[in-house]
Amino acid sequence: YSKIEYKYKFDPEEITSVRRDYGRNRSILSSEQFAGKLINAKVLANGPLFARVQLKYELKGTLYSVIEITVYRDKPQIDFSYILGKDTVWEPEALYLSLPFKYSKEDTLWLDKTGANIRPRIDQLPLTMNKFYTMQNGYSKVTDDGSLIISSPDTPLLRLGSLTPSVMTKESMSSKQNNDIQYSWLMNNYWETNFATSLGGFYRFDYHMYIAKDINNEKDAMNKAKDLAHNFIVSQVTYE
């Protein structure tokens, strides 16, 4: 959340100019950060096939903020969803979900890009941006002994590294840190093509995490991420 003193409230030209002044940086030094505070936990289901819990958070900028986690009994998969009601604001703002998952200390991060799988900060040109990336179906943490696969069908942006406001960095031949903490970049009102400037409303973001001891290469890992992203949606359409 970037604290801005507007001269004229809701003036489109001023709202645009504030965002233009950001340049390539996605935050400014006056930005304020707020983390969710866990305030309640509830078991929603506990049956022979799966168990599901709901974690409720208090988070500035939201009127409702919960994470639902589903664990399956017969397969190494965990599904989780972030469901929120977002307040309406006009200041520049972004919302992230921390994904602090690793398979091992030696794992390598791979992204599912359009037409190819890449290792961020390794398989990219020097002097290109290295803070956030777009994905197709998700990403994976691959080792010779197995992989952790994250499918994120609703959120194509992945942020790497600290969220502390700083100058946007670029990739160099000597900078090969591939295992920075990952954040799913859920929403922002910096770019006109993503969300409404106000960001207000109710949203749901779904994720699927799969632990595969038999997958030890990025091709199979990203194929699994694609499979996880394309699930059947079943609903009752008639009572007859």
Side-chain angles (χ1 to χ4, degrees):
Y1 175 85
S2 298
K3 195 172 184 180
I4 301 294
E5 293 295 334
Y6 289 111
K7 294 179 180 179
Y8 304 100
K9 291 290 186 181
F10 314 124
D11 177 57
E13 183 177 346
E14 189 174 17
I15 291 173
T16 301
S17 65
V18 167
R19 286 156 173 78
R20 187 186 303 120
D21 291 343
Y22 270 40
R24 290 189 175 91
N25 294 318
R26 295 299 89 192
S27 59
I28 55 178
L29 294 179
S30 62
S31 298
E32 296 179 301
Q33 295 184 2
F34 304 95
K37 178 183 178 182
L38 182 64
I39 58 175
N40 194 21
K42 180 168 60 174
V43 176
L44 301 180
N46 188 14
L49 299 180
F50 64 85
R52 179 175 295 148
V53 298
Q54 182 188 83
L55 306 178
K56 189 173 184 179
Y57 290 84
E58 184 180 75
L59 177 62
K60 184 177 175 62
T62 68
L63 53 91
Y64 182 75
S65 184
V66 303
I67 293 178
E68 291 186 0
I69 304 173
T70 301
V71 179
Y72 297 91
R73 298 187 184 276
D74 62 347
K75 59 181 177 179
Q77 179 175 328
I78 299 175
D79 295 340
F80 54 98
S81 302
Y82 180 45
I83 308 163
L84 76 152
K86 184 68 187 66
D87 291 344
T88 293
V89 298
W90 291 98
E91 288 77 16
E93 187 178 45
L95 185 65
Y96 301 90
L97 180 66
S98 176
L99 302 173
F101 306 122
K102 291 183 66 65
Y103 190 86
S104 73
K105 292 182 179 180
E106 292 76 28
D107 58 28
T108 300
L109 174 63
W110 286 87
L111 298 186
D112 176 22
K113 298 287 289 183
T114 306
N117 299 318
I118 72 163
R119 295 167 295 178
R121 303 179 178 176
I122 297 177
D123 303 324
Q124 66 182 91
L125 296 173
L127 302 182
T128 52
M129 298 299 176
N130 63 9
K131 283 288 189 180
F132 60 91
Y133 301 82
T134 56
M135 308 176 294
Q136 292 295 301
N137 298 294
Y139 69 94
S140 60
K141 309 300 288 292
V142 179
T143 75
D144 292 335
D145 301 318
S147 301
L148 176 68
I149 301 158
I150 305 288
S151 175
S152 57
D154 303 318
T155 49
L157 283 176
L158 186 72
R159 168 74 184 241
L160 297 184
S162 172
L163 297 179
T164 302
S166 62
V167 175
M168 180 60 67
T169 59
K170 297 180 180 180
E171 192 53 50
S172 65
M173 295 302 292
S174 59
S175 175
K176 298 300 178 186
Q177 177 56 38
N178 177 260
N179 283 313
D180 273 351
I181 186 172
Q182 296 93 49
Y183 292 91
S184 186
W185 197 341
L186 302 178
M187 58 198 317
N188 69 74
N189 58 7
Y190 303 148
W191 302 303
E192 296 175 356
T193 55
N194 287 67
F195 295 91
T197 305
S198 66
L199 291 185
F202 281 86
Y203 301 87
R204 179 187 178 110
F205 304 96
D206 293 325
Y207 300 84
H208 312 285
M209 182 169 65
Y210 195 87
I211 302 172
K213 294 183 179 180
D214 58 340
I215 294 179
N216 59 8
N217 64 84
E218 72 281 1
K219 182 179 179 180
D220 291 340
M222 299 325 310
N223 284 337
K224 183 63 178 180
K226 184 177 180 180
D227 291 341
L228 293 170
H230 296 81
N231 291 322
F232 289 104
I233 299 177
V234 180
S235 63
Q236 184 172 341
V237 295
T238 180
Y239 290 96
E240 296 180 359

